[in-house]
Amino acid sequence: MTIRCVIIDDEFPARSLLKDYITKFPHLELVGAFKSPLEALPALQSGSVDLAFLDIQMPEISGMDFLKSFHLKNILVVITSAYPEYALEGYELDVIDYLLKPFSFERFVQSVQKAGERLQARTTDNNLLVQNFQHEQEYIIVKANHKSYRVKVSDILFIESLREYVAYHCIDQKLVSLDSLKKLIETLPSEVFMRVHKSYIVNRLQVKALYGNQLQMHHTSKVVPIGQSYRDEVRKSLFNL
């Protein structure tokens, strides 16, 4: 498994050390090394990063403030800092490790192992979900309101992104769950579900009509917008236009 990494540290020696450590692992790929979190933001939001080594004390915005302000969906974070007093706060923000500068290569190896184990567990969960779809396409499990709902696939009209959450708009209910459209579109059966907008996935079988840049759905008066970059594919795939 390749782990795609970024380094975020305003100090050149720290970036150089981490680069050297990363190059010792054939399964680690350095996506970029940045002087500040804001400089790294495009890479972090691109979906091409698995692991970030993040310093705390930086001029523009501290590593902690950055983690609080920007939700790094599906990106593992290892804090690298010379200040031990931030360790507890870091773990409360769900970082996987806290490397206290100066740290040894052996200590760095432990962080890499933690990242690998976390990513492997995530991949296993996704594979199990895919296997469940292959064996039983009729239902999916949605966790919402502190419950696990067994939702019939054919009852889902569309799924809407709500920042860190998604809303399942069904024939007879609406469920809000902690998840992302990016993850769902990779696991939901593509023969049933289609992404039509950065914030919407629709059930192909529940699409009633197309007018302008909107889709009218069965069983609801709500309409689903079509993103410009998805328009041609929607017209072709759903309406043979």
Side-chain angles (χ1 to χ4, degrees), residues 106-118:
E106 288 72 21
R107 184 65 183 85
F108 176 81
V109 169
Q110 293 177 13
S111 292
V112 172
Q113 289 176 335
K114 287 182 180 180
E117 290 169 0
R118 185 77 67 91

Side-chain angles (χ1 to χ4, degrees), residues 1-228:
M1 178 197 307
T2 299
I3 302 177
R4 300 165 297 180
C5 312
V6 295
I7 300 166
I8 308 173
D9 198 309
D10 64 319
E11 297 180 350
F12 177 78
R15 294 197 304 273
S16 296
L17 178 66
L18 282 169
K19 285 181 182 179
D20 180 59
Y21 283 175
I22 288 172
T23 58
K24 296 180 185 299
F25 290 87
H27 70 293
L28 295 186
E29 175 187 337
L30 182 60
V31 175
F34 305 94
K35 298 178 183 178
S36 73
L38 299 182
E39 182 183 331
L41 193 57
L44 295 171
Q45 294 178 332
S46 69
S48 62
V49 176
D50 302 307
L51 175 63
F53 294 95
L54 177 66
D55 186 27
I56 290 181
Q57 294 290 350
M58 288 177 282
E60 292 179 343
I61 181 173
S62 74
M64 289 302 183
D65 288 341
F66 179 70
L67 287 178
K68 294 173 184 176
S69 303
F70 296 90
H71 183 68
L72 304 182
K73 189 69 174 179
N74 293 328
I75 298 178
L76 305 179
V77 177
V78 172
I79 292 292
T80 60
S81 175
Y83 301 91
E85 61 266 27
Y86 294 103
L88 178 59
E89 185 179 3
Y91 287 116
E92 289 174 348
L93 293 171
D94 200 30
V95 303
I96 65 166
D97 207 352
Y98 195 100
L99 293 177
L100 188 61
K101 297 178 180 177
F103 50 85
S104 65
F105 177 68
E106 288 72 21
R107 184 65 183 85
F108 176 81
V109 169
Q110 293 177 13
S111 292
V112 172
Q113 289 176 335
K114 287 182 180 180
E117 290 169 0
R118 185 77 67 91
L119 289 171
Q120 185 62 51
R122 183 186 297 172
T123 300
T124 300
D125 289 343
N126 287 342
N127 288 341
L128 288 174
L129 184 58
V130 171
Q131 290 172 15
N132 287 337
F133 276 127
Q134 292 173 344
H135 290 92
E136 185 180 358
Q137 296 272 330
E138 192 174 356
Y139 292 90
I140 64 170
I141 304 301
V142 176
K143 295 182 180 180
N145 306 320
H146 306 291
K147 300 177 182 178
S148 293
Y149 292 83
R150 195 165 180 257
V151 180
K152 198 170 183 179
V153 168
S154 59
D155 286 348
I156 300 172
L157 306 179
F158 61 94
I159 307 171
E160 178 186 7
S161 174
L162 304 173
R163 298 178 70 85
E164 292 87 4
Y165 295 83
V166 297
Y168 292 81
H169 295 263
C170 305
I171 293 176
D172 58 355
Q173 64 183 334
K174 176 183 175 181
L175 299 173
V176 177
S177 177
L178 181 62
D179 217 324
S180 71
L181 290 193
K182 182 179 183 296
K183 177 181 175 183
L184 286 176
I185 202 61
E186 294 174 352
T187 55
L188 290 170
S190 58
E191 65 271 18
V192 179
F193 293 96
M194 179 181 187
R195 192 163 190 172
V196 299
H197 187 279
K198 66 179 182 179
S199 300
Y200 290 92
I201 293 172
V202 299
N203 184 334
R204 297 170 184 266
L205 304 178
Q206 293 291 358
V207 175
K208 182 177 182 179
L210 164 72
Y211 60 100
N213 290 325
Q214 295 180 321
L215 292 173
Q216 183 180 355
M217 310 299 294
H218 289 289
H219 307 289
T220 181
S221 60
K222 293 184 178 180
V223 295
V224 175
I226 303 172
Q228 184 175 358

